[in-house]
Amino acid sequence: MTVPSSPRTFHHEGVAVEIHAQRAALGQSAARAAAATLRAAVGRHGAARAIFACAPSQDPLLAALTADASLPWDRITVFHMDEYVGLPATHPASFRHYLREHLLHRVQPLRVEEIAGDATDAEAECHRYAALLQAGPIDLVCLGIGENGHLAFNDPPVADFADTRTVKPVALDAACRVQQVADGCFPALSDVPRHALTLTIPALLRGARLVCCVPGERKAAAVAAALCGPIATSCPASILRRHPAVALYLDEPSAALLPAGFARS
């Protein structure tokens, strides 16, 4: 994997930040970090467990990561972080469908654990998936940041930094549902489900290493709030500044609202 130009890099409150000129370069750099984390975990424990976000923002990362033929996928268990309630895995906007198209059609992990958003008992499904997650350490979480600052489907109204649950049902807020249309996942707002099952904020932060890819100008306000605003559920992604091992990969559009000179701090 080659990077066309050197990124701007800096640290802010423990977050390692890279700003790339091109979205592809962002994905390549993030994939190298993710691959190194997975290899190290396999080297230490003989296996690795990783959680992946399923969204267009993750396309460059997953394209680069699955192109790495040296990764020991046969030692890696794959999880994902959310799913729409009532949507079957065959629906094009289902996150299980995304995971299959962007990862599982390209590589063969040891295990793939999927959230059944169309389960008849949502609470039972949350407990089932939580038990799978809690069965061992999570070595890597590859995630993004929503336009409203959400992590997974922890929108500001339902985000809880001290959540006692691992997986929970949530109602999606208006900004989150509008983003799904803007991302091209659904043709109209009326088509976007109103509820989802999501890993909670503490569940995501239990990952030993977080690799966060956030490209695009529509994410600029959320990025600025996450890095520069108060650490509060009004911007759930702000809690990333309290994780000991997180790297944030931006492109120039998503970094556009950072204060002048911030990237040199």
Side-chain angles (χ1 to χ4, degrees), residues 117-240:
D118 50 351
T120 55
D121 187 333
E123 285 290 350
E125 178 61 9
C126 288
H127 287 294
R128 182 193 72 84
Y129 207 71
L132 293 171
L133 289 163
Q134 294 163 358
I138 299 297
D139 302 292
L140 172 70
V141 179
C142 292
L143 70 166
I145 296 175
E147 292 178 30
N148 62 358
H150 72 208
L151 299 178
F153 271 143
N154 294 281
D155 294 331
V158 299
D160 182 352
F161 293 163
D163 214 315
T164 59
R165 301 194 63 176
T166 298
V167 187
K168 68 180 182 182
V170 294
L172 305 180
D173 77 2
C176 175
R177 294 178 68 239
V178 168
Q179 179 185 327
Q180 308 314 309
V181 178
D183 281 346
C185 300
F186 294 91
L189 185 61
S190 59
D191 298 308
V192 183
R194 293 181 176 272
H195 297 87
L197 306 182
T198 185
L199 274 63
T200 61
I201 298 286
L204 296 171
L205 296 185
R206 288 186 200 117
R209 175 80 172 167
L210 273 55
V211 171
C212 188
C213 293
V214 193
E217 62 182 352
R218 290 191 287 111
K219 302 293 183 72
V223 166
L227 285 178
C228 308
I231 296 178
T233 55
S234 56
C235 178
S238 62
I239 196 63
L240 293 176

Side-chain angles (χ1 to χ4, degrees), residues 23 26 57 214-221 223 250-256:
R23 184 175 295 208
L26 175 160
S57 64
V214 193
E217 62 182 352
R218 290 191 287 111
K219 302 293 183 72
V223 166
L250 309 175
D251 59 9
E252 294 292 349
S254 64

